[in-house]
Amino acid sequence: MFQRIVTAALCIGVMGAAVSAKDYALGSPSGQLVANISAGDGISYYVSFDGKNVIAPSALSMTLSDGHVVGDGKVRKAVRKSVDETVSSPLYRRSEVRDNYNALTLKLEKGWEVQFRAYDDGFAYRFVSTSSRPFEVVNEEVEYAFPGDATMTVILTRSFSIRLRTPIQQHPFPGLKTGGSLSCLWLPMGEMALRSALPRLISMIIRVFI
């Protein structure tokens, strides 16, 4: 399932566990979107927008062929940075695009790290290996858990071609009935997506899944 600025670290003692969890808050540049990340005995996160929870606690991990689970174990170091720059975009309708986000990198054991980014309109993560040794990924776990009262804004289409006049509908989640098979179902992040036009919705979906 279905990813800016108070810095807080909370150690939670876990009986019988060798690693305690630490909590990190990462806010977007505007402060509207806040991701809360817990790391130590596994990694989980949840996301709020304008003070409302839009992603409930969800797990992240990646399992390698040698049995190592990236995400389990001690966080060796946490590094934060803010980015506000322009990126050339020769294939886009604008020649330059603003790239503005706050980032948190959790440096883990065995040369692995997890990078998180909080944008004003989305949240992203990725696993990064800083080692030169080869590895094989056998499984990646990513959950997108929605709150029980969540609603979703959807674009229902039977093709991957989306036009500006394609209807946008709001439905409770779960409970969407399509009345037939669909080739494409877009799932922006609930009420957060209602504030944006179609191109912005698609941009947010891409940003979340990359």
Side-chain angles (χ1 to χ4, degrees):
M1 297 189 72
F2 207 72
Q3 116 7 163
R4 322 174 170 178
I5 295 224
V6 178
T7 303
L10 174 62
C11 293
I12 304 175
V14 181
M15 293 185 62
V19 180
S20 62
K22 290 186 177 181
D23 292 345
Y24 306 86
L26 178 64
S28 68
S30 70
Q32 285 184 296
L33 185 148
V34 178
N36 292 273
I37 301 150
S38 178
D41 186 17
I43 295 177
S44 64
Y45 73 99
Y46 64 92
V47 180
S48 61
F49 186 79
D50 273 347
K52 182 174 181 179
N53 191 20
V54 293
I55 298 292
S58 305
L60 295 175
S61 70
M62 187 168 68
T63 304
L64 307 182
S65 57
D66 63 1
H68 178 62
V69 178
V70 182
D72 286 353
K74 181 181 179 181
V75 175
R76 303 176 67 89
K77 187 177 182 180
V79 179
R80 295 176 180 271
K81 73 174 182 178
S82 297
V83 173
D84 189 357
E85 60 187 11
T86 56
V87 179
S88 298
S89 54
L91 302 180
Y92 191 50
R93 65 175 180 267
R94 295 197 299 266
S95 61
E96 293 182 334
V97 176
R98 185 184 182 190
D99 194 22
N100 185 207
Y101 62 89
N102 290 326
L104 170 68
T105 298
L106 300 182
K107 296 183 180 295
L108 308 175
E109 299 173 335
K110 297 187 177 182
W112 284 94
E113 60 187 39
V114 188
Q115 299 176 357
F116 299 94
R117 294 182 182 183
Y119 298 83
D120 286 336
D121 57 358
F123 170 71
Y125 83 96
R126 64 179 177 179
F127 293 103
V128 176
S129 173
T130 60
S131 172
S132 60
R133 292 174 297 181
F135 61 88
E136 179 184 0
V137 177
V138 296
N139 186 52
E140 181 175 357
E141 176 191 31
V142 52
E143 294 181 347
Y144 303 104
F146 293 90
D149 61 347
T151 59
M152 61 181 176
T153 304
V154 298
I155 302 167
L156 299 176
T157 175
R158 287 178 170 79
S159 73
F160 287 95
S161 176
I162 298 178
R163 302 178 181 179
L164 291 178
R165 293 186 178 181
T166 301
I168 299 176
Q169 304 175 18
Q170 186 177 9
H171 294 269
F173 185 86
L176 175 67
K177 295 182 179 179
T178 65
S181 61
L182 293 172
S183 299
C184 185
L185 173 60
W186 295 96
L187 296 176
M189 291 172 58
E191 293 185 2
M192 183 174 154
L194 295 178
R195 304 168 181 263
S196 304
L198 178 58
R200 195 170 180 84
L201 297 184
I202 296 174
S203 173
M204 184 184 67
I205 296 168
I206 293 172
R207 187 168 287 165
V208 168
F209 280 98
I210 287 180

